[in-house]
């Protein structure tokens, strides 16, 4: 497959057309940013860690009935994906209070949220990704009520699958952000699932194993990304992601 024209460059990924119809290439770059781009760096190999973990989780989810855009990895940082008509929503699932929910609401950090809390933000950097509600999503014609129900259902299913998998490695899935798109009429998971988009805590030590290490200068972020990637990928043994047991 040949990589063609750049379609879109975000803060940490670039998307290219290919010579194959409805197939795109996502490049996971070594850029890392935080605070709306206010903090940024380039860290060697960072892209390949996020790509590897994303590919692993997309395969795991595909194997468990969740439709994603993932096709295959082309090399350590380039992923072939189905073209989706992306829906500009950031769907965040929270199992434990941390981050913005603690800053914005009277939750104590570490409080278990049961059932999990879904928060949906408008993906719009110029407006700093404001939080939406169901009525706003429908009024803005970002998704139909039926699509929104489907998106929430898939988000909770992804949460159960990822939480169960990570728990076996002694990792708590605190929260994560996912994005969806349409492939024809079918809602599919797009974007990435990586240390940049999840909040992960070591079950024993409570240590952060994700981008919070970079955001809040908690340690060597590349050492953390390397270690957590090994922890996640080694579980599968063969390198293939398992069905949920
Ligand atoms: P918070 O709202 O607490 O900042 O983020 C909640 C979760 O969603 C965290 O796991 C965070 O990494 C993820 N998240 C929220 N907004 C973004 C975003 O714009 N990009 C990425 N990659 N992740 C996000």
């Amino acid at each position: 497959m040949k990589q063609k024209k750049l379609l879109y460059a975000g803060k940490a990924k670039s998307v290219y057309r290919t010579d194959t119809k409805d197939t795109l290439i996502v490049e996971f770059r070594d850029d890392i940013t935080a605070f709306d781009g206010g903090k940024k760096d380039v860290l060697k190999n960072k892209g390949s860690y996020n790509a590897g973990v994303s590919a692993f989780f997309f395969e795991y989810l595909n194997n468990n009935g969740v439709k994603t855009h993932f096709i295959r990895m082309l090399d350590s940082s380039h992923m072939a994906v189905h073209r989706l008509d992306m829906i500009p929503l950031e769907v965040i699932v929270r199992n434990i209070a941390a981050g913005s929910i603690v800053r914005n609401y009277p939750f104590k950090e570490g409080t278990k949220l049961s059932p999990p809390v879904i928060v949906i933000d408008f993906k719009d950097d110029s407006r700093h990704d404001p939080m939406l509600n169901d009525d706003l999503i429908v009024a803005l014609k970002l998704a139909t009520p039926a699509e929104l129900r489907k998106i929430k259902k898939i988000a909770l299913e992804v949460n159960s699958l990822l939480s169960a998998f990570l728990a076996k490695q002694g990792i708590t899935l605190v929260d994560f952000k996912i994005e969806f798109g349409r492939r024809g009429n079918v809602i599919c998971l797009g974007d990435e699932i990586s240390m940049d988009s999840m909040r992960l805590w070591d079950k024993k030590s409570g240590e952060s194993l994700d981008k919070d290490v970079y955001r809040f200068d908690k340690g060597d972020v590349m050492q953390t990304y390397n270690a957590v990637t090994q922890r996640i990928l080694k579980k599968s043994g063969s390198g293939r992601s398992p069905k949920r047991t």
Side-chain angles (χ1 to χ4, degrees):
M1 182 186 311
K2 275 212 184 73
Q3 184 169 306
K4 299 271 195 182
K5 202 178 122 208
L6 177 70
L7 259 186
Y8 167 81
K11 292 198 277 281
K13 298 190 297 299
S14 300
V15 180
Y16 295 87
R17 283 188 203 282
T18 70
D19 55 356
T20 307
K21 190 174 180 301
D22 290 335
T23 299
L24 304 177
I25 292 175
V26 178
E27 177 193 10
F28 288 73
R29 305 195 316 267
D30 286 344
D31 301 274
I32 186 164
T33 71
F35 309 119
D36 250 348
K39 179 173 180 179
K40 49 178 141 176
D41 284 283
V42 179
L43 301 173
K44 195 167 168 349
N45 292 331
K46 181 251 175 190
S48 61
Y49 290 128
N50 278 1
V53 167
S54 284
F56 178 84
F57 280 138
F58 281 139
E59 237 196 326
Y60 171 58
L61 294 171
N62 278 335
N63 289 343
N64 284 283
V66 177
K67 292 193 170 63
T68 82
H69 68 161
F70 180 72
I71 301 175
R72 65 190 161 94
M73 290 306 292
L74 301 170
D75 63 30
S76 67
S77 58
H78 291 80
M79 182 185 285
V81 300
H82 298 296
R83 188 180 67 75
L84 302 182
D85 169 20
M86 289 304 290
I87 303 172
L89 299 176
E90 298 199 337
V91 180
I92 297 164
V93 183
R94 299 175 181 276
N95 296 305
I96 292 182
S100 67
I101 202 176
V102 170
R103 286 197 303 279
N104 298 333
Y105 302 92
F107 284 112
K108 194 168 172 286
E109 186 178 65
T111 306
K112 192 167 164 44
L113 303 169
S114 183
V117 172
I118 300 180
V119 173
I120 304 186
D121 292 346
F122 186 26
K123 190 177 164 74
D124 185 337
D125 277 346
S126 70
R127 294 184 165 81
H128 308 288
D129 301 343
M131 190 191 289
L132 295 168
N133 66 20
D134 292 10
D135 285 355
L136 280 167
I137 291 169
V138 173
L140 286 164
K141 299 193 186 327
L142 300 174
T144 65
E147 284 178 330
L148 192 52
R149 279 194 297 277
K150 179 88 184 166
I151 283 170
K152 289 183 185 178
K153 187 166 177 272
I154 301 172
L156 291 177
E157 178 65 9
V158 169
N159 185 44
S160 305
L161 287 161
L162 295 185
S163 294
F165 178 84
L166 288 163
K168 286 187 199 146
Q169 270 120 131
I171 297 172
T172 302
L173 180 59
V174 174
D175 57 37
F176 62 95
K177 183 267 305 178
I178 47 180
E179 295 180 25
F180 293 88
R182 300 177 189 92
R183 189 171 171 219
N185 291 327
V186 180
I187 299 282
C188 290
L189 199 53
D191 194 51
E192 68 179 306
I193 307 175
S194 73
M195 289 70 80
D196 277 11
S197 58
M198 295 184 285
R199 194 168 267 125
L200 305 171
W201 290 352
D202 184 273
K203 271 192 193 295
K204 278 205 193 113
S205 66
E207 252 182 307
S208 288
L209 306 172
D210 57 68
K211 196 157 88 171
D212 274 355
V213 174
Y214 174 74
R215 290 188 185 101
F216 305 113
D217 296 316
K218 290 180 172 195
D220 183 333
V221 65
M222 288 312 292
Q223 224 168 35
T224 301
Y225 275 33
N226 181 17
V228 79
T229 300
Q230 302 316 316
R231 254 168 108 168
I232 290 169
L233 300 194
K234 90 167 194 292
K235 182 72 185 170
S236 63
S238 65
R240 294 193 61 77
S241 56
K243 277 209 164 202
R244 178 163 59 174
T245 48

